[in-house]
Amino acid sequence: MAGYIAHRLLWSIPTLIVITIATFVIIQLPPGDYVTAYIAELVETGEVIDAETAAHIRHEFGLDRPMYEQFLTWIGGILLHGDFGLSLDWKLPVSELIWDRIGLTLMISVLSLLMTWAIAIPIGVYSASRQYSFFDHLFTVLGFLGRGIPDFLLALVLMWMGFLYFNFHVGGLFSPEFENAPWSIAKFVDLLSHLWVPVLVLSTGGAAGLLRIMRANMLEELGKPYVETAYAQGLSERQVVWRYPVRVALNPFISTVGWALPALISGDVITAVVLNLPTTGPLLLRSLQNQDMYLAGGFILILSVFTIIGTLLSDILLVLTDPRIRHS
Amino acid sequence: MKSVTLTSIAALTLPFLAANGWAYNEAPMLKQLVEAGQLPPVEERLPKNPRVIPVYDSIGTYGGVMKRAFKGPSDRWGPTKLMEERVVETYMDGEKNLSLVPGWIGEYSVSEDAREFTFKIREGLRWSDGAPVTTRDVRFWYEDVFLNEDLMPSIKALYTSNGVPMKLSFADDYTFAVSFEKPYPLFLTVLAKESTGRPGLDRPGFIEPFHYLKDYHPTHADPTKLDAAIAKYGAKKWTDLWDSKGQIQAWWFNPDMPVLTAWRVKTPPPSDTVVMERNPYYYGVDAEGNQLPYIDQIEHRLFQDPEAINFMAIQGEIDLQNRHINVADFTLLKENEAKGDYTIEKWTKALTWSIIPNLNSADKVKQALFEDIRFREALNISVDRETINELAFSGLGESRQASPISGSPFYDEEAETRWTEYDPDKAAELLDAIGLTERDDDGFRLMSDGRRLSLVLETRWDIQGELLEVVRTYWQDVGIEVLVRIIDRTLYQQHVDTADFDMVLDTFDRSSVITADPLRFLGRYGFAPSYFNWWSTNGKSGEEPPKDHPIRDVWKAWENAQTAHSLEEANAYAQEMVTLHKQYGWHVGLVGETPAVYVRKNSLKNFPAGFVHDDALRGVGLAYPQQLYFSQD
């Protein structure tokens, strides 16, 4: 087991290097650079920058140097000093911007993930064991609706209804009076009163999809001879279903835990933008739009690390839970 | 807006207050600090002749927090336009007459030949940390910043004449003079709009707090201290602390940076709410001697999505905002006025939505068409502007040609209505007369080389999809195919800069005091980017226009305006640019003078109605936010 993990860890190093290079290149692929984006934004808001000034800024930021040089400076800073560089847009160290927002992002994402599972697993199991029943059909319809409605639209609708019927403060995670306040019980309660909207929005889409997977897996398992055998032994339905088929059917959940981790950080970008959440998603989106490459690169690097760790985790979990994998 | 008075007007002062021994008044929060001994009394904080800022409606009361929204670092105009301080500023009175008034300098004078400008700093004026403002601060800015090539590798043409940068001289602690090689009557007009910093227009201009910044400048700093500062800010060299990368000089990022503005930053970005608090040393008072500003604090809440700001507005969480409020949401905002306890105020935008054909198109056949005045007329008269106004602007705009807006000192009625009459038959005749008579199977005209007459129309304004769709249909009716591309604004910017486009949809803006920023008339943002580039770099880059090209007349007029011997003469030359534009019709102006929509909380008072919204007039700054206040009931 230890050898397996060590082997996997070693492999993640070249993977990371390749991902890092690829992201840096991809961020720079669109025409123009940060300065072009900056000027465009200034023009839109009424300021003029002449060509010489633009060239000067470009030089100041080192954007006139070859890409590999920029890359080496950036990655060198991270490896040697843990310095993720300066966000060109915010004129602040990247690390200062990222870590600030990661806490709230993690909280929302973990809650949504748990909620997703809490919805999908029981309903999936129910639908499979009562196939073609009224509730199975109902859940199927709801599931397809959930899958079909884009999250951002649902967010907008919820916001609108909250405003219209409950005159409810929507958008953001805190009421304005708590935004800059230090943590307190009142602030936490305020947070909870806002938190359910993003959690609900983020979990519905995912739950609808997982629910179908769970149902399909269960149907397959329920038809297998060992289930018949279990029934024949006189076990109750609840005991049969939850002890064996569910465990097997959960397999895809475990193997996708790895993908859940990076999703935790990037969150659902568009939903976060619409709901005005102070999470990492909107920041990542902006940095990509503005070609703020050190900030975007820093984000993507962290996401990649999380993906690699996540995949490793799910592999280990699979080895532990599934005897077929363990023994092969 | 009837006229621009650019001659020095009598500076409003309060000598009688001091003479009669009246006391100045101040905000309760400051009074407490004075009583606690943490702040000197208000008389000592104000200069000897404080600036009297007229109120638009009534003398206000102190207190309150103004809540606003903003989009992040590059949206800094949201916070900063509320609180710019210049040597001279534009003031619009209740009758909408414009005049130039002295700002943080108390008085100014212009020499007979318009070559020398003398400014006198208000005696006793103080930075927000209490340090006195003197010509030492001006000299520091001039010698160590403006003329320092590490910080300013190039000097804006606005601050040079005959290629030579302006010269400053210092008579005493409070008086300094700016002189130019040649007459420069428009200099004050420029100063009311521009600051002298780079790229920060929001700086006061001519001045930097020497006592604070000297520690970060190698000419004055102790090297070990400077190195420590560089290390602290994670910079690589001292210039990193300044300008494009710096935290030091960016007052709205650095709470320690002394300012002259009415508010100073308290909680800087990247906080989710950026907070500004009152500057206890602000030099302005109202007519009764109350120190301004009235409002204690301004909060800017970060948001990303335009819908989020709509929600904030209709829930009554915005006290005053124009930026990012979209005319298209007018109805939504209007319907919820009562619920959100706010009022929608309309100012007039100094712009015309226009389609601009590219005279520098690399496609020679298309370029020849764009250069043909008959083709430009045909493009103009084949669209029905009234319909566009109804469909895309809910009828809130006005169909017009790209030209100075009504009320501008440079307004020309003929220029406004030229080619705006919808006449598709005549347009078709003109196109036939050019020789575009052949048509393909889909009914589109063929160009001289046999290709379909198909023009790509680019824009970065994804909110204007409807407008473009309507225009596309009109032009299709006369046999011109238009392919609409809504593209990312960075790509758009790149295309405009390199003249790599057929036509663009853009806002022909800054059309009130056009002498403050004439770039649109000179070709920069549209109709002839390569020619403009050639002219503005003295032939170093860009493309030289043919000897008889009329754009040369436009440039000539502007050059003459810049070096005229009097302001009247300068304005007359600027008017000539408008006439030339009218004559040659380089733009397809569609709808303009659309409203700048403001959400104003009902309790917020003294906000003037129906002003002109223009960059040259500093946008919301024209409302003098120092004198806004919240009514207590």
Side-chain angles (χ1 to χ4, degrees), chain B residues 398 400-401 403 411-418 420 593:
Chain B
E398 200 181 297
R400 70 194 309 281
Q401 188 53 263
S403 62
Y411 177 68
D412 176 337
E413 199 186 331
E414 270 177 34
E416 187 188 33
T417 52
R418 165 102 151 146
T420 53
E593 299 186 26

Side-chain angles (χ1 to χ4, degrees), chain A residues 56 60, chain B residues 145 147-153 198 218 238-239 243:
Chain A
H56 179 69
E60 281 282 290
Chain B
V145 180
L147 294 180
N148 186 320
E149 288 193 357
D150 292 331
L151 293 176
M152 295 259 191
R198 174 192 66 79
W238 75 274
T239 47
D243 277 339

Side-chain angles (χ1 to χ4, degrees), chain B residues 123-163:
Chain B
E123 212 171 310
L125 177 68
R126 287 168 193 279
W127 292 101
S128 55
D129 59 358
V133 178
T134 65
T135 44
R136 183 69 194 89
D137 298 313
V138 184
R139 215 172 64 179
F140 173 64
W141 165 79
Y142 180 63
E143 291 169 0
D144 298 317
V145 180
F146 183 70
L147 294 180
N148 186 320
E149 288 193 357
D150 292 331
L151 293 176
M152 295 259 191
S154 66
I155 290 173
K156 269 191 181 175
L158 292 173
Y159 307 110
T160 63
S161 95
N162 221 6

Side-chain angles (χ1 to χ4, degrees), chain B residues 531-548:
Chain B
Y531 292 163
F532 174 84
N533 211 355
W534 177 83
W535 173 74
S536 64
T537 59
N538 287 319
K540 267 182 261 167
S541 56
E543 183 187 333
E544 185 176 355
K547 290 279 177 257
D548 58 346

Side-chain angles (χ1 to χ4, degrees), chain B residues 261-397:
Chain B
T261 49
W263 293 272
R264 56 180 181 180
V265 69
K266 184 173 156 196
T267 316
S271 164
D272 291 326
T273 307
V274 174
V275 183
M276 314 267 176
E277 62 172 1
R278 67 162 67 249
N279 167 6
Y281 289 90
Y282 187 64
Y283 66 93
V285 296
D286 66 17
E288 292 181 2
N290 298 306
Q291 188 193 21
L292 297 174
Y294 293 124
I295 293 172
D296 288 339
Q297 202 162 296
I298 305 179
E299 293 183 358
H300 306 266
R301 229 176 127 202
L302 196 63
F303 78 101
Q304 285 91 21
D305 188 70
E307 297 305 337
I309 195 171
N310 283 340
F311 269 114
M312 283 157 84
I314 60 185
Q315 290 192 306
E317 285 170 17
I318 301 254
D319 289 321
L320 183 68
Q321 182 104 12
N322 157 250
R323 289 173 73 80
H324 314 297
I325 302 271
N326 192 345
V327 187
D329 299 319
F330 186 80
T331 321
L332 170 81
L333 293 167
K334 196 80 192 161
E335 279 172 352
N336 288 285
E337 269 185 337
K339 193 163 181 179
D341 192 24
Y342 59 83
T343 305
I344 296 293
E345 302 274 1
K346 287 189 284 180
W347 281 18
T348 306
K349 281 191 179 170
L351 60 79
T352 308
W353 285 93
S354 306
I355 292 172
I356 312 172
N358 177 12
L359 298 188
N360 296 134
S361 173
D363 187 323
K364 291 298 156 203
V365 181
K366 286 179 185 171
Q367 192 203 6
L369 279 177
F370 294 148
E371 281 284 10
D372 193 321
I373 191 163
R374 292 170 296 177
F375 189 70
R376 297 200 295 268
E377 183 177 356
L379 288 181
N380 262 290
I381 60 175
S382 52
V383 287
D384 181 3
R385 292 166 171 79
E386 288 303 334
T387 310
I388 294 170
N389 185 22
E390 285 304 324
L391 287 175
F393 300 96
S394 317
L396 293 167

